[in-house]
Amino acid sequence: MPLTVYNTLTRRKEPFVPLDPHHVRLYVCGPTVYDFAHIGNGRPYVIFDVLTRLLRHLYPKVTYARNITDIDDKIIVAAQKNKEEIFDLTRRTTDYFQEDMKAIGNSPPDIEPHATTHVKEMVSMIATLIEKEHAYEKDGHVLFSVRSFPSYGRLSRCQHDEMIAGARVEVAPYKRDPEDFVLWKPSEKGVPGWKSPWGYGRPGWHIECSAMSSKYLGETFDIHGGGQDLIFPHHENEIAQSQACFGPKTFARIWLHNGMLTVNGEKMSKSLGNFITVHQLLEKLPGEVIRLVLLSAHYRQPLDWNENTVFQCRQSLDRFYTALRGRDLSEKQPACETVKVALEDDLNTPLAISALHDLVTRLNKARNEKEKNKLASTLQASGEWLGLLQQNPERWFKGKTGIDENKIMELIEARTQARKEKNFLEADSIRDELLKTGVLLEDTPEGTLWRQQ
């Protein structure tokens, strides 16, 4: 079936028809790098990584761009609080972000532009907006005139009063209207800034994505993605300034937004003590478990992070890797058609995961080794579409045990010898000793296997 996606702009599912069938272009709003990414931040990057994987299977070329916002008021405040240079902070937190995203199975984007290296493009866009009378300068600030853009609000479908309240902006004296948003602002002493026709300053947040996406993907491209919290005002503002600059019907044709993440049924916040970063989770969970949790609900629906879901996803991965364990995967097989069809239906990852379970059930019922190996290879190929099941099964089960693997093997051999000598008390003692370190033993016809609990 053809790929269909839910377009936030039209509020309906529609067939995906790329501008150029030989080259699909995708932009996703990246992180503002002032701290570790929380688990809610991680959800869109996993989702759009899966979308990119799918697109690469369907089209000959895909360009995936995801920016790094490395100049922002939050960054300035964090650097002052930490008593460190802003660029030291952003370099460090960018490294953490990239490492954490890799650990949960995300491939890097094709293009990862930094806002601070694209100020020239932002200044050029702002100058064009002023020239076209969609923006104005006052007291060193440049603001976009929302009333100059009649279709403003089409994406979010907010009314005028809702826009003002939703933007949560100060009605500053340099604004003609409360809903006008900042394109450029002056920088005080000690704050990063650049020379511009309007004085020394820095760009507003919204103009950054418009400038970088147009540079690398063109004035019109296929897909723009992000969390639902970005629909207004960020994405609404991106559309307004981009189309006001480049012309109507430019910018992104399809808008995809993922649902929000809660923790144990509550909105995540530091005040509630339920603020969880990906970095923290990786200290106690394999990245693949985190990834599967983030894919366990349909991307447009809310997702609740809780211990029960984490446990279930870990059990699922144990089941998948058990099916792969000891199998000959040298004869490659294509992915299961059910997985492909599920993902082509607006990225239905829960249905795709269900198809993986069905494959395991078929494998377990298979009567000969050749069929089992074939189904195992299909399972692994299908998992790749979701960014799952690509590591060695033994590595999955052994994980980080805190004990030397050679020592484990010595104990297993000692237990095997004790069992041969019918010294079952000693064999049970060794098994219990390993269990205390989180190592589970499994006796099979081929010998004793072990995995992390």
Side-chain angles (χ1 to χ4, degrees), residues 241-362:
Q241 64 201 9
S242 296
Q243 292 189 347
C245 182
F246 302 122
K249 298 184 180 180
T250 57
F251 208 46
R253 297 171 61 247
I254 295 173
W255 290 82
L256 304 184
H257 292 95
N258 64 275
M260 304 309 292
L261 182 142
T262 56
V263 176
N264 296 319
E266 295 185 301
K267 183 179 179 180
M268 185 166 50
S269 72
K270 291 182 179 178
S271 61
L272 292 175
N274 65 355
F275 190 87
I276 308 172
T277 68
V278 176
H279 203 75
Q280 290 171 325
L281 288 172
L282 286 167
E283 293 177 356
K284 59 181 181 180
L285 286 174
E288 200 162 352
V289 172
I290 298 171
R291 185 180 185 89
L292 185 56
V293 173
L294 295 177
L295 295 174
S296 62
H298 191 277
Y299 79 93
R300 287 193 284 115
Q301 300 303 315
L303 171 66
D304 188 53
W305 182 278
N306 58 72
E307 288 303 316
N308 183 54
T309 303
V310 172
F311 176 78
Q312 290 177 348
C313 288
R314 189 158 198 164
Q315 291 291 98
S316 292
L317 286 165
D318 279 347
R319 184 170 189 256
F320 297 152
Y321 275 112
T322 296
L324 295 175
R325 199 174 196 181
R327 294 286 150 215
D328 180 1
L329 303 173
S330 59
E331 187 176 334
K332 300 301 179 182
Q333 297 293 326
C336 171
E337 184 67 16
T338 307
V339 171
K340 177 176 178 289
V341 170
L343 295 179
E344 286 178 332
D345 183 14
D346 194 31
L347 288 187
N348 192 337
T349 55
L351 185 58
I353 294 166
S354 177
L356 298 184
H357 280 287
D358 290 343
L359 275 171
V360 174
T361 299
R362 289 171 55 196

